[in-house]
Amino acid sequence: MDSGYINASENPIDNATMLLYNSYMALWEDFDSSVNDMRYFLIGLYTTVSVLGLLGNVLILTALARKWREKSIINLLVGNLAFSDILVVLFCSPFTLTSVLLDHWVFGEVMCHVVPFLQCVSVVVSTLVLMSIAMVRYHMISRPLSAHMSVHSGYVLLAAIWTLGLSICSPLPVFHRTVDVSRAFRLGPPRRSKWLCVESWPSGAYRVAFTLGLLLVQYILPVVCLTASHATVCRRVWA
C-alpha cells in the first residue's frame, strides 16, 4: 500500500521533470544549431571579403608596377591605398574572426601589442590616402591649367600620411595587454585559461582623448573633405 502510493505520487513529478528536460534540450539544440549556422556564415563572409580584397589590391599593384615609368601623384596614392588595404585584409579580418569565433585571444602577449597597432595604422592610412586622392582630383579639375603636384611632392605627402598614422596609433601598443578572464572576474580556478586582449589606459581621460582624436581623423575630417571636394567638382562639371 505505502510503496504503491509513493510510486504513484512520484510518477507525475518524474514525467514533468522529463518533459521539462526534453523541452530544454530541444531549445538548446536549436540554439546550438543557430550558433553554428552563424559561425559558418561569418567564416564564409570574412573569407570571401578577404580573398576578394587581397586579390583586387594585388591586381592593382601589379597593374601599377607595369606602368612604373609613368609616375604620377595619382598612381602613387592609388598604389599606397592598395598596399594599406592589403594590410587591412591581413591584420583585421583573420584576427577579428578568430577572436569572435573562439571568444578569447589565442595569439599571445606580443601579438596583442602588435595587431591592434597595425590595424589602426592601416585603417588610418587608408582613410588619409582616400582624402588625399579626393583633394588632388579636386585641384586637377578645378584648376586644370595650373601646375599640379609633382611625384616628389607625392612622396612627401605619403611620408606625412604614414608619419601621422603611426603617431596617432602609437599609444595602442603601449596600452594593450592580455588578461586572464578567470582572474580578472574572480571566477575561481578555471579548467583552461581564457585570455582577452584589452586596452589598459592609465585613466579614462586618456581613453576619451584618443577616441575623440581617432574619430576626428578617421571619420569627421574625411567626411567633410570628401563631401566638400565632390560637391564642388560636381557643381563645376554641371556648370
Side-chain angles (χ1 to χ4, degrees):
M1 290 286 297
D2 293 338
S3 61
Y5 177 75
I6 293 174
N7 292 332
S9 61
E10 287 181 351
N11 285 335
I13 298 178
D14 292 339
N15 292 335
T17 303
M18 289 300 299
L19 289 175
L20 185 62
Y21 174 78
N22 291 332
S23 64
Y24 281 153
M25 286 300 298
L27 291 175
W28 170 252
E29 291 177 356
D30 293 339
F31 174 76
D32 188 54
S33 176
S34 301
V35 170
N36 289 332
D37 292 340
M38 181 60 66
R39 289 176 178 173
Y40 297 145
F41 172 75
L42 289 177
I43 292 174
L45 179 62
Y46 272 78
T47 302
T48 303
V49 172
S50 299
V51 171
L52 292 178
L54 185 61
L55 180 61
N57 287 291
V58 168
L59 290 177
I60 291 175
L61 290 178
T62 303
L64 292 176
R66 292 180 178 179
K67 299 181 179 180
W68 181 247
R69 295 181 180 180
E70 303 176 8
K71 293 182 180 180
S72 65
I73 180 66
I74 293 296
N75 288 346
L76 286 177
L77 292 175
V78 171
N80 194 86
L81 179 62
F83 176 72
S84 59
D85 287 344
I86 289 176
L87 292 181
V88 172
V89 172
L90 294 178
F91 290 100
C92 288
S93 299
F95 293 97
T96 302
L97 178 62
T98 305
S99 299
V100 170
L101 294 179
L102 300 181
D103 199 26
H104 65 283
W105 183 259
V106 296
F107 302 104
E109 180 74 24
V110 176
M111 295 300 289
C112 180
H113 297 282
V114 174
V115 171
F117 174 68
L118 293 179
Q119 290 177 343
C120 178
V121 170
S122 58
V123 174
V124 169
V125 169
S126 296
T127 304
L128 294 177
V129 171
L130 279 175
M131 187 171 59
S132 301
I133 292 175
M135 299 306 294
V136 170
R137 185 167 49 189
Y138 161 76
H139 179 74
M140 290 181 174
I141 295 176
S142 61
R143 299 178 181 179
L145 300 180
S146 62
H148 301 311
M149 293 182 64
S150 63
V151 176
H152 177 72
S153 301
Y155 286 121
V156 174
L157 178 61
L158 289 179
I161 289 174
W162 278 96
T163 301
L164 182 60
L166 294 171
S167 301
I168 292 174
C169 302
S170 58
L172 287 180
V174 178
F175 299 118
H176 262 84
R177 65 186 181 93
T178 56
V179 295
D180 191 346
V181 177
S182 59
R183 294 180 180 179
F185 297 98
R186 299 180 180 179
L187 300 178
R191 297 179 181 177
R192 183 172 60 91
S193 297
K194 295 183 65 174
W195 297 86
L196 296 178
C197 180
V198 298
E199 297 180 6
S200 179
W201 298 90
S203 67
Y206 286 90
R207 183 193 301 272
V208 172
F210 176 78
T211 303
L212 292 178
L214 208 59
L215 177 66
L216 176 65
V217 174
Q218 277 191 335
Y219 183 75
I220 297 177
L221 188 60
V223 167
V224 172
C225 291
L226 291 175
T227 303
S229 62
H230 284 79
T232 305
V233 168
C234 291
R235 186 177 60 186
R236 287 184 176 274
V237 170
W238 280 105

